[in-house]
Amino acid sequence: MKDVPAQPRRRTGGRTRLLLGGVLAAAITVSSVAVATLAHADLSGPPGTTLKAAAERSGRYFGAAMGGDRLNDNGFLTIANREFDMMTAVNEMKPDATEPNQGQFNFSAGDAIYNWAVSHGMRVRGHTLAWHAQQPRFWANLSGSALRSAMISHINGVMAHYKGKLAYWDVVNEAFAENGSRRSSNLQATGNDWIEVAFRTAKAADPGVKLCYNDYNIENWTYAKTQGVYNMISDFKARGVPIDCVGLQTHFTGGSSLPGNFQQTLSSFAALGVDVALTEADVTNAATNQYQGLTQACMNVPRCVGITTWGIRDSDSWRGSENPLLFDRNSNPKAAYTAVLNALNAASTTVPGTTTPPSTPTSTPPSSTPPTSTPPSTPTSTPPSTPPSTGEPGACTATYRTVNSWGGGYQGEVTVANNGSGTLNGWTVRLTLAAGQTLANVWNGVNTGTTGTISVRNASYNGSLGANASTTFGFLVNASTNTAPGVVSCTSP
Ligand code: 9MR
């Protein structure tokens, strides 16, 4: 790797000064430059006119996620460069991408995104090192201590490559089940301590990067999964397991919309002594009030360091049919964009350490202590049982498409349509997964079974379909071969 001298300070994003990494010549290697760091927060100046300028006023960042294919998409790059100061690779730094074969690391796709981002003054979040999905194919043949060793080697190999370059790493992703216990996975089967081993390994590999635990459905404070993660972080802090931050993915769907207690969740995590961040935000139909609310909640919590949306335009989204992002397919900002911008500019707290001088923050850290009450054991919203149909029997159809696939699995989407004249009150789709395939995750639907023929019925909020209406659900499959599932049937009661 060639050393590239650090560039002198220059101004970006309005009045906030960033120490920039330098301009990169080639997209093949990661340049040896310091991580750009936020230097100065100042709430007294004029409002920012871009997301990043507005966020930087309070020492925060505003990020997006991009796939490698967006490097050839000038529409995307233009908005990214103008509005964002943090970047996450959608798939390119995941375990299957970075270590496709045991001991053979491949950083070309991740480096291309990294190099573009830092050469445009952005910092980069690493995503992710250990996860039950998108694993290298060879992990499927390992278990026990061999898999544990492979995970440790993977973390060491990837973190050595990016040492000193990244602002954050999502060390472990999505390790909890909805009921607040650990998700069962091959990594979990190596022993309950796999998560802390991952964090200790990561700390030794790159002591300078902030190490995060990242998950979805942990935004509602009273939800069992939130409490499960909270208890783990609390335990880690008590025992000195190195952890710096919690990423709340903030995927808001019709079934899990912005909870009224979101700020309490953020401040409760922060009170444990970790930073919090909204790492993959998207909201069904970009509901303005939810985007405003999630931004405001972050701005009200000093240790909420930034917000990332999972894509920029609806055409970049993993759930594009729900139009969940801040920019439409023609690159126009939506009403939600303005709401977010205004909420960023209205921030009344700054991130500790970003206001200079003095070196101590002017804002007060949250004084509330985390509750000691036992977390609820059931989710606050459970899908209701399916009501009887008033539509024509057999009027529903299911159409499958593969959204994305990789070495060890794929993301699928099924569109459920009502082709009858009446209203469909509830639906169930049956799919047959090929041998060796296991369902890892479903959204906008509720599954029964994870292998062979599985069924997915409507969630609480998308069972009712008027004449000619349709809805979609999505899912992830871990697979040895990526044969698409057969759609067996769609029925309505
Ligand atoms: O956006 C990613 C999509 O392209 C992939 O198909 C999918 C496969 O796992 O992963 C998506 O990103 C996920 C992220 O890594 C973790 N949280 C949920 C995101 C959306 O599924």
Side-chain angles (χ1 to χ4, degrees):
M1 255 185 307
K2 276 192 85 176
D3 278 352
V4 178
Q7 301 297 299
R9 281 167 183 253
R10 70 172 159 98
R11 284 183 177 266
T12 61
R15 295 156 303 92
T16 304
R17 280 179 291 173
L18 300 176
L19 183 59
L20 289 171
V23 179
L24 295 138
I28 299 163
T29 56
V30 171
S31 62
S32 284
V33 294
V35 175
T37 48
L38 277 170
H40 186 63
D42 178 4
L43 295 179
S44 64
T49 57
T50 62
L51 296 171
K52 65 181 176 187
E56 287 168 7
R57 295 177 88 243
S58 61
R60 295 182 171 89
Y61 65 81
F62 208 92
M66 73 186 287
D69 49 357
R70 295 302 183 270
L71 289 166
N72 300 314
D73 182 335
N74 284 330
F76 180 96
L77 297 178
T78 299
I79 308 177
N81 190 28
R82 186 182 72 222
E83 301 280 347
F84 296 87
D85 56 8
M86 182 72 78
M87 192 52 76
T88 308
V90 169
N91 290 308
E92 291 74 3
M93 294 189 190
K94 289 174 177 173
D96 63 325
T98 50
E99 193 185 359
N101 300 300
Q102 189 150 22
Q104 291 177 1
F105 290 91
N106 183 343
F107 299 110
S108 54
D111 287 358
I113 291 174
Y114 173 88
N115 287 338
W116 184 85
V118 297
S119 68
H120 290 82
M122 301 173 196
R123 295 187 292 160
V124 175
R125 292 190 90 254
H127 174 81
T128 178
L129 295 165
W131 188 21
H132 67 272
Q134 287 178 277
Q135 297 185 348
R137 207 183 277 270
F138 70 88
W139 284 16
N141 301 322
L142 303 176
S143 60
S145 58
L147 179 59
R148 176 67 66 86
S149 298
M151 178 191 81
I152 292 169
S153 300
H154 179 77
I155 293 171
N156 281 327
V158 177
M159 291 191 75
H161 179 77
Y162 288 109
K163 188 171 183 179
K165 314 290 190 303
L166 303 182
Y168 302 90
W169 258 118
D170 289 334
V171 178
V172 171
N173 194 41
E174 301 176 0
F176 276 75
E178 299 303 297
N179 69 3
S181 63
R182 293 287 184 87
R183 176 196 289 271
S184 62
S185 72
N186 58 347
L187 291 168
Q188 180 65 26
T190 67
N192 205 49
D193 62 344
W194 74 276
I195 298 180
E196 63 191 84
V197 167
F199 276 89
R200 290 189 199 280
T201 304
K203 183 69 178 176
D206 184 354
V209 67
K210 292 209 172 190
L211 306 174
C212 306
Y213 175 79
N214 192 52
D215 214 330
Y216 62 91
N217 285 356
I218 57 168
E219 293 80 17
N220 188 330
W221 178 240
T222 62
Y223 193 52
K225 187 173 177 180
T226 310
Q227 294 296 319
V229 173
Y230 177 86
N231 290 334
M232 179 186 74
I233 308 297
S234 173
D235 171 55
F236 280 12
K237 294 304 275 187
R239 291 191 297 113
V241 178
I243 184 162
D244 303 302
C245 36
V246 175
L248 297 94
Q249 294 184 8
T250 320
H251 294 295
F252 288 149
T253 68
S256 61
S257 50
L258 173 71
N261 57 23
F262 189 41
Q263 184 178 320
Q264 182 187 6
T265 306
L266 295 175
S267 60
S268 299
F269 275 119
L272 292 175
V274 288
D275 289 343
V276 291
L278 282 45
T279 51
E280 304 182 13
D282 49 21
V283 180
T284 305
N285 294 324
T288 304
N289 59 338
Q290 292 190 54
Y291 263 117
Q292 195 278 339
L294 69 87
T295 307
Q296 168 132 31
C298 180
M299 296 307 109
N300 288 348
V301 176
R303 289 195 78 154
C304 186
V305 294
I307 300 173
T308 293
T309 56
W310 205 242
I312 292 179
R313 307 156 305 182
D314 291 331
S315 47
D316 307 315
S317 174
W318 65 298
R319 49 193 193 110
S321 55
E322 298 176 60
N323 299 319
L325 291 173
L326 296 176
F327 292 82
D328 68 19
R329 280 154 218 278
N330 298 318
S331 296
N332 296 315
K334 303 181 186 176
Y337 168 93
T338 308
V340 168
L341 188 71
N342 291 340
L344 293 171
N345 277 318
S348 59
T349 75
T350 56
V351 173
T354 62
T355 308
T356 53
S359 56
T360 46
T362 50
S363 54
T364 337
S367 57
S368 64
T369 46
T372 52
S373 60
T374 325
S377 59
T378 48
T380 48
S381 63
T382 39
S385 55
T386 309
S389 171
T390 55
E392 286 177 17
C396 93
T397 58
T399 314
Y400 170 81
R401 77 180 178 104
T402 300
V403 177
N404 192 17
S405 61
W406 52 92
Y410 60 91
Q411 177 187 338
E413 182 183 81
V414 171
T415 301
V416 180
N418 176 10
N419 295 321
S421 52
T423 297
L424 211 65
N425 283 318
W427 45 262
T428 300
V429 171
R430 285 188 178 74
L431 302 159
T432 304
L433 301 182
Q437 299 189 347
T438 306
L439 186 69
N441 199 10
V442 178
W443 54 95
N444 295 339
V446 180
N447 68 297
T448 303
T450 55
T451 57
T453 297
I454 60 165
S455 66
V456 178
R457 71 178 165 84
N458 57 278
S460 58
Y461 49 89
N462 64 359
S464 175
L465 293 177
N468 299 317
S470 65
T471 188
T472 62
F473 69 87
F475 56 95
L476 289 186
V477 173
N478 287 329
S480 46
T481 51
N482 283 344
T483 318
V487 174
V488 178
S489 62
C490 176
T491 54
S492 61

